[in-house]
């Protein structure tokens, strides 16, 4: 039997509908083992990018393009998404999704490589938003890079912040869950950030950069 909490969360998730392009990209991602952000989390990304009037966004973990579609749809028409992934085939499929949605090649810069090798080459304070959906045990390192990359007033966001309901269960001590708990503590304890935990999808942890 579904509990009231489960019904409420399901209602909130189902409130956010995907179009055919995003749905097709989601199916390709699932087939490739690149599990995409859920629709509610994707809608939150689009909302944040829109609120920021974002022109420059960094994405860690291209997948097959679902999160990138949400970011691009929220960004300014002249904005550029810089997306990093280690899998060339994932990025090829993401490029297909972006083209199907009408986003030209000039709107997206796809970089193949390990995020922690690529991010240090990007400009300090040059970005409005950083979104991470990569290796969970590297999230704390992504946070440090994101704070450097963001302008004051920019936003960093992390997918899977609730990690299949494991983060809230203290009995769960696997490395990914522990890394996500540590990330939460780092974000909460950093005076440069104002955090928000959004219980959509698998959890989205976001924070505004208040100061350098």
């Amino acid at each position: 039997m579904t509990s009231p909490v489960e019904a409420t969360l399901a209602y909130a998730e189902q409130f956010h509908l995907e179009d055919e392009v995003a749905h097709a990209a989601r199916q390709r991602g699932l087939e490739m083992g690149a599990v995409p952000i859920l629709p509610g989390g994707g809608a939150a990304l689009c909302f944040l990018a829109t609120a920021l009037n974002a022109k420059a966004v960094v994405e860690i973990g291209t997948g097959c393009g679902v999160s990138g579609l949400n970011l691009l749809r929220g960004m300014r028409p002249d904005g550029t998404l810089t997306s990093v992934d280690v899998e060339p085939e994932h990025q090829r499929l993401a490029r297909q999704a972006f083209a199907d949605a009408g986003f030209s090649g000039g709107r997206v810069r796809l970089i193949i490589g390990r995020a922690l090798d690529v991010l240090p080459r990007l400009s300090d304070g040059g970005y409005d938003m950083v979104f991470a959906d990569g290796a969970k045990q590297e999230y704390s390192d992504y946070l440090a890079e994101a704070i450097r990359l963001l302008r004051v007033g920019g936003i960093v966001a992390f997918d899977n912040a609730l990690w299949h309901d494991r983060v809230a269960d203290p009995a769960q001590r696997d490395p990914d869950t522990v890394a996500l708990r540590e990330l939460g503590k780092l974000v909460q304890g950093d005076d440069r950030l104002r955090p928000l935990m959004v219980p959509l999808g698998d959890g989205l942890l976001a924070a505004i950069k208040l100061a350098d």
Side-chain angles (χ1 to χ4, degrees):
M1 183 176 178
T2 302
S3 72
V5 171
E6 290 171 331
T8 296
L9 291 174
Y11 174 83
E13 189 65 32
Q14 293 162 11
F15 182 84
H16 304 95
L17 304 177
E18 288 186 323
D19 64 10
E20 292 182 3
V21 174
H23 181 72
R26 177 175 300 283
Q27 293 305 116
R28 289 191 292 268
L30 292 172
E31 290 167 5
M32 294 293 294
V35 179
I37 192 169
L38 288 169
L45 293 181
C46 185
F47 181 93
L48 292 172
T50 303
L52 286 168
N53 194 29
K55 184 176 181 180
V57 175
V58 174
E59 177 184 45
I60 303 166
T62 310
C64 292
V66 175
S67 51
L69 284 172
N70 282 283
L71 290 164
L72 285 164
R73 286 171 170 162
M75 294 168 64
R76 290 167 42 166
D78 60 344
T80 300
L81 173 67
T82 299
S83 189
V84 182
D85 202 293
V86 295
E87 295 290 344
E89 181 63 10
H90 292 175
Q91 290 201 329
R92 184 187 71 79
L93 293 171
R95 193 182 296 279
Q96 176 185 334
F98 301 150
D100 289 346
F103 294 109
S104 69
R107 293 290 312 278
V108 183
R109 178 171 60 153
L110 297 178
I111 302 175
I112 298 171
R114 182 171 172 266
L116 293 178
D117 295 330
V118 174
L119 297 177
R121 304 202 301 263
L122 303 182
S123 300
D124 293 11
Y127 296 88
D128 303 298
M129 186 172 175
V130 176
F131 169 63
D133 188 7
K136 309 313 169 196
Q137 293 176 51
E138 295 181 351
Y139 268 20
S140 293
D141 294 322
Y142 298 162
L143 175 64
E145 288 293 331
I147 292 172
R148 179 185 63 80
L149 293 171
L150 287 170
R151 64 169 174 85
V152 172
I155 290 176
V156 59
F158 295 87
D159 191 26
N160 304 118
L162 298 177
W163 199 230
H164 317 302
D165 301 320
R166 299 176 70 86
V167 172
D169 181 358
Q172 302 297 328
R173 300 292 301 172
D174 62 278
D176 286 345
T177 301
V178 170
L180 288 161
R181 285 198 196 105
E182 180 61 25
L183 172 73
K185 293 175 183 176
L186 288 172
V187 171
Q188 283 184 315
D190 195 318
D191 292 339
R192 298 169 295 177
L193 301 174
R194 178 160 294 151
L196 175 68
M197 179 68 78
V198 181
L200 287 169
D202 194 29
L204 190 74
L205 175 60
I208 297 173
K209 179 178 174 178
L210 301 175
D212 287 315

